[in-house]
Amino acid sequence: MDAIIVNRVSKSYGRVQALDEVSFCVDKGEVFGLIGPDGAGKTSMFRILCTLLLPDAGTAMVDGFDVVKQMRQVRCRVGYMPGKFSLYQDLTVEENLQFFATLFGTTVEEGYDSIRAIYQQIERFKDRRAGALSGGMKQKLALSCALVHQPSVLFLDEPTTGVDPVSRKELWEMLLMLKERGITIVASTPYLDEVRCCDRVAFLDHGRVRGIDTPAAILTEFADIFNPAPPKAPTAPSAPPSPPEGGTIDSTTSKTIEAPSGAVGGASGALRASPSPVIEVSHLVKAFGDFRAVDDISFSVKKGEIFGFLGANGAGKTTAMHMLTGLNQPTSGTGRVVGFDIRTEYEQIKKHIGYMSQKFSLYEDLTVAENIRLFAGIYGMKSEEIKAKTDELLRSLKFEEHRDDLVGSLPLGWKQKLAFSVSIFHEPGVVFLDEPTGGVDPATRRQFWELIYDAARRGITVFVTTHYMDEAEYCDRISVMVDGKIKAMGTPEELKQQCHQPDMDHVFTYLARQATRKE
């Protein structure tokens, strides 16, 4: 029996055709994937099926009810987790759950059995505000809220974006458990391991269905899109970069876990990193009361190095990055970034680095060119230089025709590439990237890493956090944080050998599951 029937559904926004006569069916109790690149129409389809958006043409049925004519009946039968965190940040865990139960005319007590296995994992934090939860805990709460009224169909629009690999695995284990209870699940995801968890998938591209089949068949047929070749590894620059102030350039590299301060060639084998540290950290601590978010970490990063800073949600990565970027002060320990002390010269640090946060860091109600001009001015660049470099940047990104488009109208992948380009527009000594490719499709992520490699070729140090373990393989060197400490450090190959694991995904899982402290 079909739980969902979509027949020639179309939807446009002005000149943009988001969905173009899309048709597919989902069996009752099936885990069905909607996959495709950014801007393919997946979110529009979710919103139509959840009665939040009206189609321009075509029909859709959910659990036997028409999404337009029988909107009320559909809403009683579906649960929905949108791409962005859907809960109220200032309400506690318990208050969020009670609120969503009330929306559907039920109570937490009535629906508790349907969420017990999931909610019990976070129930001890019921008095904590949702905004203070880690990514994995937020997703468990959002899933509990979507299930509290006992829906028959569950829609998940990229539910694990920004969540570490271990928490992602846990969430999908929960989804497969829900499948056993007969709940129909429709999910979109940019993670290929999650695509493979589906029974069938529909591949959407530019608003059209290009294929519906098993994950293996679709990923094979469209391998050029879902399994693009890795970005071309950086090579030694044709001319050595200018030495840092008070330093010298040396192409010598060494690879050792015991001496992480040495320059490395890394996964790419490139000999571009100089031995002069751009980042130096010694016994750095950040405490909040008795809780040490960052607990005595020491490391250094070389000029031109791509340094991966990994860890599960709540491990202390973002807190450490905030200290290195001058956004927060350490409790104890020392650190220098591009030659400046993180305790006393943080304003100077801000002028000499680039930063791209987890959340999109540009202004959506300004145009592409206005965003570039604004941030270049903040970095102290002169008008003539800004104009020349803006034209050059737009050409390199192939954004010339979008110069005057509002940033809010761009697909996510375009926004991320623009945000990164703006963060290094002033040629900083180091750029900090906090999960820059979250929720971005594989092909766009590859293009993003080409930009990262190009920056490294120019001598810009890249300090990056990511939850995509294939991206970890692209780094010269990696540290993995567990419980606020650096648990391991080395090149990807060294970490795999040290942990006796076949790839970085297994390395991460092996180390992250050694955590002992509670969130």
Side-chain angles (χ1 to χ4, degrees):
M1 177 181 175
D2 292 324
I4 299 169
I5 302 173
V6 176
N7 183 33
R8 304 183 70 178
V9 166
S10 296
K11 181 65 182 179
S12 62
Y13 305 96
R15 293 177 297 173
V16 178
Q17 188 75 38
L19 296 170
D20 189 1
E21 296 195 344
V22 171
S23 298
F24 62 87
C25 296
V26 181
D27 295 335
K28 186 174 180 62
E30 184 176 20
V31 178
F32 189 85
L34 278 181
I35 62 175
D38 301 315
K42 303 185 296 295
T43 297
S44 292
M45 178 54 67
F46 276 114
R47 293 177 65 82
I48 287 172
L49 293 175
C50 292
T51 75
L52 301 174
L53 192 66
L54 294 175
D56 296 333
T59 61
M61 305 284 289
V62 175
D63 215 14
F65 297 95
D66 188 284
V67 298
V68 175
K69 298 176 182 177
Q70 297 168 299
M71 189 178 295
R72 184 181 297 276
Q73 291 92 327
V74 171
R75 289 181 177 178
C76 291
R77 287 164 171 79
V78 303
Y80 179 44
M81 281 179 62
K84 295 182 179 179
F85 184 47
S86 56
L87 306 179
Y88 292 92
Q89 308 274 3
D90 292 333
L91 295 183
T92 66
V93 168
E94 187 175 44
E95 288 168 342
N96 267 286
L97 193 60
Q98 290 173 343
F99 173 76
F100 276 84
T102 303
L103 282 181
F104 290 99
T106 185
T107 64
V108 174
E109 290 72 26
E110 285 183 51
Y112 191 80
D113 285 344
S114 65
I115 64 172
R116 181 191 304 273
I118 301 168
Y119 186 60
Q120 279 184 338
Q121 299 182 41
I122 59 173
E123 194 168 10
R124 64 183 182 275
F125 305 109
K126 65 181 182 180
D127 295 325
R128 182 180 296 184
R129 289 187 179 183
L133 300 176
S134 70
M137 291 174 67
K138 286 179 179 178
Q139 299 306 73
K140 290 170 186 175
L141 174 58
L143 185 56
S144 297
C145 290
L147 291 168
V148 71
H149 63 295
Q150 305 178 60
S152 57
V153 181
L154 182 62
F155 293 103
L156 309 171
D157 191 359
E158 298 190 359
T160 56
T161 296
V163 178
D164 67 80
V166 174
S167 296
R168 289 199 296 108
K169 289 181 175 70
E170 292 176 350
L171 187 69
W172 273 86
E173 288 170 1
M174 296 174 198
L175 296 182
L176 296 179
M177 176 187 67
L178 295 175
K179 175 190 174 183
E180 293 176 0
R181 287 168 32 193
I183 296 177
T184 304
I185 298 170
V186 181
S188 66
T189 177
Y191 295 97
L192 297 186
D193 58 331
E194 296 181 359
V195 171
R196 296 186 180 97
C197 291
C198 299
D199 298 313
R200 289 187 304 139
V201 295
F203 171 35
L204 285 178
D205 188 21
H206 291 91
R208 287 181 172 269
V209 175
R210 293 184 59 185
I212 301 176
D213 210 325
T214 64
I218 292 295
L219 294 179
T220 299
E221 182 178 356
F222 301 101
D224 57 325
I225 296 173
F226 293 103
N227 296 283
K232 187 177 179 181
T235 56
S238 56
S242 302
E245 186 176 346
T248 58
I249 293 297
D250 187 339
S251 63
T252 304
T253 64
S254 63
K255 300 181 183 179
T256 173
I257 296 176
E258 290 74 25
S261 59
V264 297
S268 66
L271 301 179
R272 67 182 180 281
S274 91
S276 303
V278 175
I279 301 172
E280 297 176 274
V281 171
S282 180
H283 301 291
L284 200 62
V285 173
K286 181 62 179 181
F288 299 94
D290 295 331
F291 177 73
R292 287 191 168 199
V294 175
D295 190 4
D296 195 10
I297 63 173
S298 299
F299 64 92
S300 65
V301 182
K302 301 301 178 184
K303 180 178 175 64
E305 187 175 9
I306 300 175
F307 187 81
F309 200 59
L310 308 186
N313 295 114
K317 305 185 306 299
T318 299
T319 301
M321 190 177 290
H322 284 174
M323 288 188 283
L324 296 177
T325 54
L327 298 176
N328 213 331
Q329 294 298 295
T331 302
S332 62
T334 61
R336 299 186 74 82
V337 176
V338 288
F340 298 104
D341 190 294
I342 63 173
R343 283 181 170 276
T344 60
E345 299 175 296
Y346 43 85
E347 292 301 329
Q348 286 297 318
I349 289 174
K350 292 175 185 177
K351 295 177 182 178
H352 291 84
I353 65 169
Y355 180 63
M356 183 176 166
S357 66
Q358 286 179 342
K359 296 179 180 178
F360 181 54
S361 51
L362 300 182
Y363 291 94
E364 301 216 340
D365 54 353
L366 295 182
T367 67
V368 169
E370 287 170 343
N371 266 285
I372 296 172
R373 192 159 57 244
L374 170 65
F375 282 91
I378 291 173
Y379 286 126
M381 297 177 65
K382 296 181 180 179
S383 297
E384 291 183 2
E385 183 184 11
I386 294 173
K387 185 179 184 304
K389 289 199 68 174
T390 296
D391 294 340
E392 178 185 340
L393 174 60
L394 293 176
R395 281 195 301 273
S396 67
L397 293 177
K398 299 180 181 179
F399 275 21
E400 296 103 320
E401 296 181 2
H402 303 283
R403 170 191 290 267
D404 298 321
D405 289 359
L406 291 178
V407 164
S409 69
L410 301 178
L412 175 61
W414 292 26
K415 291 178 182 179
Q416 299 299 74
K417 288 188 286 188
L418 177 62
F420 174 71
S421 299
V422 168
S423 73
I424 62 170
F425 195 70
H426 58 304
E427 296 291 326
V430 58
V431 60
F432 291 89
L433 308 176
D434 195 359
E435 297 177 26
T437 56
V440 178
D441 65 83
T444 304
R445 289 198 293 114
R446 179 192 180 279
Q447 295 168 9
F448 190 93
W449 273 85
E450 292 284 9
L451 297 176
I452 289 178
Y453 276 0
D454 182 64
R457 289 187 191 100
R458 306 203 308 265
I460 296 175
T461 300
V462 180
F463 189 99
V464 57
T465 72
T466 179
H467 286 322
Y468 291 96
M469 291 302 104
D470 60 324
E471 295 184 353
E473 301 273 4
Y474 303 155
C475 296
D476 293 312
R477 203 156 45 100
I478 294 167
S479 76
V480 182
M481 286 191 74
V482 178
D483 290 347
K485 297 179 179 290
I486 292 179
K487 189 75 172 180
M489 186 180 296
T491 68
E493 285 304 316
E494 289 169 339
L495 293 182
K496 284 181 275 188
Q497 292 173 16
Q498 181 191 34
C499 298
H500 307 290
Q501 300 295 329
D503 52 43
M504 281 305 302
D505 184 65
H506 284 80
V507 168
F508 184 95
T509 301
Y510 170 76
L511 293 172
R513 284 185 169 159
Q514 296 178 27
T516 58
R517 74 184 186 188
K518 301 298 182 183
E519 300 205 42

